[in-house]
Structures are given as C-alpha cells and as structure tokens.
Amino acid sequence: MCGMNNTTLYVGVTSTIEARIIQHKENFDPNSLTAKYNFKKLIYYRWFDTIIEAIAEEKRIKGGSRSKKEMLINSMNPECNDRK
C-alpha cells in the first residue's frame, strides 16, 4: 500500500497530459498550487473520451474524502510510483 507521506493531493484535468506533466515538474508557473506544494509525481490518471466526462470525474474525486482518494490511488498504484 502506498505510504501517503505528502500532505496535499492535487486533482486536475487536462487535454495535454505530457505537456502538463512537464509544466508541473519544471514549475512553469512559480505562483501555481503545484509549485507552492512542490508536486513532482503523477501517481494516478485516467483517460476519458470527452472533457465533459473528465471534468465530472474530477469533481467527483475532489468532492470525496482524502481516504477515498487514497483508496483510489492504491487500487491502481499501491507503490505510488511516478507514472510519467
């Protein structure tokens, strides 16, 4: 099971995952939440056919408890390995 050592889990949506990962890892926007909390690992992601579906899932995940987020991550990536 993934040891959740980080205090914050970031949930977001994008249509260009490769570019977004680079932006986060290189602190493209130094004033962003991802730069502030030094998010560097992608530990969970899903593909959707439409942006509407992706946004709906983002809202569902954001509305859940931290425990539910951790269970979701652990169901797909129990070691919390960087996916990209």
Side-chain angles (χ1 to χ4, degrees):
M1 189 150 146
C2 177
M4 295 290 173
N5 297 327
N6 300 311
T7 58
T8 304
L9 297 172
Y10 172 79
V11 178
V13 85
T14 185
S15 61
T16 57
I17 194 166
E18 293 85 6
R20 198 73 175 128
I21 290 167
I22 292 167
Q23 289 173 345
H24 287 314
K25 289 189 177 201
E26 295 180 359
N27 289 333
F28 179 76
D29 179 358
N31 297 315
S32 70
L33 181 73
T34 57
K36 178 181 176 182
Y37 287 97
N38 200 31
F39 295 135
K40 300 294 182 197
K41 285 174 48 176
L42 174 66
I43 58 173
Y44 175 86
Y45 68 92
R46 284 186 56 196
W47 294 100
F48 292 91
D49 291 331
T50 69
I51 193 67
I52 307 258
E53 292 171 304
I55 292 169
E57 180 66 357
E58 176 192 28
K59 288 179 181 180
R60 186 191 72 76
I61 292 170
K62 283 183 174 180
S65 67
R66 181 180 179 91
S67 175
K68 286 184 180 180
K69 292 175 184 121
E70 290 175 352
M71 287 189 313
L72 181 63
I73 293 164
N74 284 318
S75 73
M76 301 290 282
N77 185 7
E79 301 300 319
C80 279
N81 295 321
D82 193 356
R83 300 314 239 176
K84 289 282 182 179

